Amino acid sequence: MRLALHPFSVQNLLLAGLAAANMAAAHSQEKPLEQISLSDLMAQRTELYQSSDTASGVQETLKDAPAAMLVIDQKTIELRGYQHLTELLEDAPGFDTYIYNGTVYSQAYQRGYRTPWTQRTLLLINGKVDNNLWNHTALISRQYPINIIDRVEILYGPAGVVYGPNAFLGVINIITKTAKSLSQDEIKLDASISLASFKSQAVDMALLGKYGDFYINAAFRDFSSDEADLDDYAEWGYTQENLLSDPRYWGNGIGTGVDPATGNTSPNGDINVDGVVSDDELRNGRALGRYYDPSDNHSFFAEVGWQDWQLGFLDWQTSEGYGLYYSFADGQPNAAWQHNSKQWYLENSSQWQKLKVDSLLLQRESQVGGDWVEAFGGAVNISVWNSFNKAWRFEQDYQYQYSEQLNINWGLKYERKTLTRTYALCNYFNGFGFCPSQGATSSTGFSSDGSGVKLAAQINSLDFTPLPPTINEQFIDPENQGQTTDKGAYSQLIWDNQTWRFSTGLRFDDNSIYGSQWSPRAAAIYRWNPKTTVKLVYGQAFQEPSPKDLYGQFNGREANANLKPEKLDNIELILLHQGRYWFHDISLYNTYYSDVIAGSQNVGQRHIHGVEYKGKFRFSNFVNQADKITGHLFYSWTQARAQQQYDNSQGIWIDDWDEQGDIAPHKLNMALNVPLSPTWHWNLMARWSSAKNLFSENPLRASSNQNRDTNTKASAFWTLDSHWLYQQPHWQLGFKVDNIFAQDYLAPGPEGASSGDDFSQDYDGFQNSLVPQLNQRTYRITWEVKL
Amino acid sequence: MNKAMQTPLSLLLTALCLLVSSVLVNHQANAKPLPDELAALLLAKLLSYELQLVEKPIIHIHVVGNSKLADNLRAYSNNTMTFNITEGKYPEQPPDVFFVNSELANDKDFAYSKQEHLLSVIDDPDWIKKGFVLAVYDDLGMPGVQLNLKQSNQNQLKWQPSVLDGLEVLDD
């Protein structure tokens, strides 16, 4: 079924334009802003005057940005006790956020669009893309330094006109502090140590310094954790620890059993079945066949500037166990899966009278891979995976302030990527991946040859699962690489007469594989009165199929070299109203998606519409001399429907307009900051998410699985966190308790979510259909010094 | 005392001491400068309530350490109020209004503003008791304005009475 009335028809847009013009004429005598009353000025929300270039690529206030936005500044980060990005997103409207603690730490679906990972939201560090080059994932774990963050700007809706490909559902732009704003010869240091449940610890430091025309911004973070034990999670049949050493799945090596060749007992993790677990059989210092899920994240960031020039470097790495992501009958959690990102860049910003030119030359590397211990089809293997990718990019953006009313800006981009096609993968099934050391004996001449795969029932001390060969993590074999070239150009016109602001733009992108795409945007912003602003925004954007979707086929996932880019049309109405105590920000959006990619296919359309309400309040405090009481109330309503559903019994996608799944129709976020004295702050953060139907690939959804009578939903949940903060001018101490009421719930499974829930046997569905979440209180204490 | 009890008790005593000391300290840790556009709007508006300034054909505003604020103030200069904006450390001729970025402020600045009877403005309320007349700052999401009335009187400034109702006035 195709919905009959398309809201983005030329007629509708023309009508909207005419209506806007009429309103402009009617209010052409509106008072300029500087003539508003003092009381109205005193009631303005300062965040609306925050300058940002996230939405348009040019500095403008949030009030004037052609998009719905949320800014979380450093002060809010401190008050709430946030230590990583996932905590921010859990409290942001419009995101369905879950912690999987697996190949990805967390998953955040923005604006109701379900994807295998967080791939359709662009993650930027100071405007520079940090999504993985190969799988497009915004890897949101604990790796980014927090003390260097000045603010995090979250943009809702497409921004392809500025960023080109992949600014699809929205943008998260992490803006770091800069020493440019320091006084001469000033140095600032912000360092913190955190200790938390499960032996989690983090050291985080930011250093800013300025000497004459020279400045430096630097930060590093080191995080490690044993992560929670199984007892700390909700119950799920495929995450029982005994499955990890069950010889029916894992044989007598990884599993606990008896060596058929010698009759000797073999403990769990004794891969070569010689009766002893030796050092080379350990993973993360422990034997396989038991639950262990350690994490180790670290990062380094530095920028050195002189006058208009800036040289920058970013390097981060995450190494994480698989947690409860996969069924324990299919994957061992005690292994290490790594993501790595490196960026080097040189920037220049020059101004000639009314013309400003920003230039960027950037090189980057993305790597993903690690160990994988698998039981599939009665066979066991220990394999090694890697995808290394690199790119360089040149961008130049021009801004010309023609007059007080008119700003013209345009830009160019050229990017060259060298990408891994399929995983470098050794010790896996014959014909999968790319393994030079086994290629000669494989059926393809280049892949794994199957020699590392052993039938579980036949493993013994004479024929056991071999350890994989070593793979060079910083290398792309010429036989397994593809190169792409991206060219882009855009232009925007911004016209502002104090009452009205119009922002229009068009971007053209051409990719050597996917071809060319246009991304237009038009926005009308009307300043109704000093308290109220209305925005109408229309935009289109596209998402490239990731190289992983195109070429990265393996046992658990298909690939398809003929995928087309996903596209969207979005229209939204945004209302901002500032009252004395409350600030209301409401977005109503309606988005049509086409050529949606799921399960390595283009599976038709999706239609998602919804409301995001962002209410912020500020009241006088009952405590003398203490700060104001502040907080927020966010509500999101989302209705997401998909044209095609996955038929689990036939294993194909079929036309059937129905609910997309995995998205809570209703979500509520509340936060309250109560300063108890000039130096004590008490914060409460509550979240509620309604029950949700599961995605059609999930076999627990009855409507897409003829073999199932009862539909299973992911149940509603709510959580409450609290943070106590004691502040002195040069140091502060925070104590955070998460999940105070120890709520017990399961999240919708990631990717294919294919495990099912017949726990009596294993159907080789890798990803758990429902993923247990922590059902314990967790604690964290953070001591921060500012000099 | 039971050894196991010693650590929790010492933690409790430390927390109690911190709580008591914090109540005794008046510390405005969470104020920060306003965004420049809003600061300029608010400052321009506040100047219109000083009875001597509004009579002047041109108001000389000197800005130390905030070029963007100076640019915004220039933009708000119009027929109703005309501003002459200068920047740098100290101007050759004493200005009417003297704005100082608190990151760069020092004791000389308010000594200078006292000596010249200026309407001195700063973006951090911690400085208001040291002798600045006005503090214009971000008070947890909305503008905060503090007026040091005693210093204002010493500098011979005269405010429209109505404006005093809308500001936080310090008169001790």
Side-chain angles (χ1 to χ4, degrees), chain B residues 16-121:
Chain B
L16 198 63
C17 290
L18 287 173
L19 186 62
V20 171
S21 64
S22 69
V23 171
L24 298 175
V25 176
N26 181 15
H27 164 54
Q28 195 90 29
N30 291 306
K32 60 180 184 181
L34 281 174
D36 298 314
E37 183 186 337
L38 185 56
L41 270 171
L42 194 54
L43 185 54
K45 175 59 65 180
L46 288 167
L47 299 186
S48 69
Y49 289 95
E50 209 288 321
L51 298 173
Q52 297 162 107
L53 285 177
V54 288
E55 297 300 322
K56 294 197 170 190
I58 297 174
I59 301 171
H60 179 192
I61 305 176
H62 187 78
V63 177
V64 179
N66 192 336
S67 294
K68 286 182 180 170
L69 175 78
D71 290 343
N72 277 289
L73 282 167
R74 282 187 193 102
Y76 297 134
S77 181
N78 55 32
N79 291 335
T80 316
M81 292 182 80
T82 307
F83 301 144
N84 169 29
I85 311 293
T86 56
E87 296 182 71
K89 193 56 189 167
Y90 297 116
E92 288 179 9
Q93 295 293 322
D96 302 304
V97 181
F98 183 59
F99 176 92
V100 184
N101 175 348
S102 59
E103 293 275 345
L104 308 177
N106 58 43
D107 292 347
K108 283 184 189 169
D109 294 327
F110 66 82
Y112 170 72
S113 63
K114 268 185 186 176
Q115 178 192 320
E116 303 292 346
H117 299 292
L118 307 179
L119 198 175
S120 54
V121 189

Side-chain angles (χ1 to χ4, degrees), chain A residues 36 46 75 183 618 627 679, chain B residues 22 30 32 45 104 139 141:
Chain A
I36 66 178
T46 55
K75 184 52 63 184
S183 49
R618 179 179 176 277
D627 284 333
T679 50
Chain B
S22 69
N30 291 306
K32 60 180 184 181
K45 175 59 65 180
L104 308 177
D139 185 12

Side-chain angles (χ1 to χ4, degrees), chain A residues 645-662:
Chain A
Q645 312 296 326
Y646 187 73
D647 185 323
N648 273 276
S649 53
Q650 298 186 68
I652 55 170
W653 292 84
I654 56 170
D655 266 344
D656 175 19
W657 271 101
D658 198 357
E659 186 177 345
Q660 173 205 247
D662 279 5

